[in-house]
Amino acid sequence: MPAISPVIDWYSNKAYQCPRCRHDTVADPSKWEVYTCCNCGTRFARFPRLHRFLRHAGITCEWCTKRHPVPVDGKPFGFLRHRHNGRGMYAQDQVEAWLYDTDEYTDHRDRLRYVNTASRRADAMADLAHWRSFLGRHEDDPSPVLAVVADEEFYKYGPEITEEQEEGFRNGTLEVYGVGVLRAYAPPHRRRGQFYAADETFTWGLIAPAGLEGIYTQQAPEPLAAHAPRL
């Protein structure tokens, strides 16, 4: 069994940062808790000698623990979560795919199932599409589905953005999306049955109301329907 990393002290004037790699990893720091850095795994506390008596809060970074719901046709199915790996120039922001568990798996912690980690948001959503196919009414249904994916590369505050749109981004009523098709690999591909994001079908930089991200088996939501490819 690998040894547990020791608890070290942090700098009191930088309580939200990891004392080892300086990554912002504590959303709301407390002097009476032990935290774990989401970047390098370091455990730290304001009073490390008392760590046996303090609550171990684990990873509390808002960026890494926030859940981004991915419904299927508007019904709860799974969510995406960011993960920050590496240090310095080797750091990577990856995306985890999680599935809300079903009644037949009652022993899973928090009734959640970890699916996979991908380098892109669209690829993580494709992993959820595979599970939708596996758990759906028609098992191993390879029919393509539409994906509405939050566009994280879009610069929301550029000169081409109107004041009304910028205000919508700030108050959470507007979001920027990409719309495209998730397809299943066909035999004899070694990953047959698994889904992938068909990049050539995606249209990015579409501004629409917030809360539309998800998987759609028939048609895209009305504000984005004009930009969605046909299945």
Side-chain angles (χ1 to χ4, degrees):
M1 177 180 294
I4 299 177
S5 60
V7 178
I8 64 176
D9 193 6
W10 68 32
Y11 298 110
S12 57
N13 63 332
K14 296 286 187 180
Y16 58 90
Q17 288 185 352
C18 170
R20 179 158 292 162
C21 70
R22 302 295 188 270
H23 183 67
D24 292 353
T25 190
V26 180
D28 187 17
S30 167
K31 294 180 179 180
W32 311 109
E33 293 183 327
V34 178
Y35 299 101
T36 302
C37 177
C38 55
N39 182 33
C40 66
T42 298
R43 297 194 305 154
F44 56 95
R46 188 66 189 91
F47 305 109
R49 293 185 179 182
L50 300 178
H51 73 91
R52 294 180 180 272
F53 308 99
L54 301 179
R55 175 177 176 266
H56 285 244
I59 293 174
T60 61
C61 171
E62 288 179 325
W63 174 256
C64 293
T65 56
K66 182 179 179 180
R67 296 180 181 180
H68 305 269
V70 180
V72 175
D73 292 330
K75 297 180 180 180
F77 187 76
F79 65 89
L80 305 180
R81 193 173 74 176
H82 286 98
R83 175 195 290 180
H84 186 87
N85 288 340
R87 296 172 64 176
M89 63 181 294
Y90 301 104
Q92 292 181 333
D93 289 322
Q94 296 180 308
V95 183
E96 298 176 349
W98 288 79
L99 184 72
Y100 293 126
D101 220 336
T102 60
D103 291 336
E104 55 188 307
Y105 302 108
T106 58
D107 59 336
H108 283 199
R109 182 180 181 184
D110 297 331
R111 303 188 64 79
L112 301 174
R113 176 194 287 269
Y114 167 74
V115 176
N116 198 12
T117 298
S119 59
R120 300 189 310 164
R121 199 178 184 102
D123 293 334
M125 194 174 291
D127 289 322
L128 291 179
H130 169 62
W131 276 92
R132 180 210 66 87
S133 169
F134 181 73
L135 297 175
R137 291 180 300 173
H138 307 288
E139 190 170 320
D140 292 330
D141 178 8
S143 56
V145 295
L146 289 168
V148 176
V149 186
D151 187 352
E152 297 180 326
E153 300 296 322
F154 187 90
Y155 180 50
K156 299 179 180 179
Y157 307 107
E160 72 280 2
I161 301 300
T162 66
E163 292 184 3
E164 292 78 9
Q165 290 174 330
E166 183 172 333
E167 179 62 24
F169 296 142
R170 294 188 186 279
N171 63 28
T173 59
L174 288 180
E175 185 58 274
V176 185
Y177 302 99
V179 182
V181 177
L182 305 178
R183 294 196 176 106
Y185 290 102
H189 197 283
R190 63 183 179 84
R191 296 183 62 190
R192 58 187 178 276
Q194 298 183 40
F195 279 67
Y196 68 96
D199 291 337
E200 71 279 3
T201 68
F202 273 81
T203 302
W204 296 95
L206 303 174
I207 300 174
L212 300 180
E213 187 172 42
I215 296 171
Y216 298 84
T217 60
Q218 301 296 327
Q219 60 184 15
E222 184 177 349
L224 299 170
H227 305 278
R230 291 187 177 182
L231 293 176

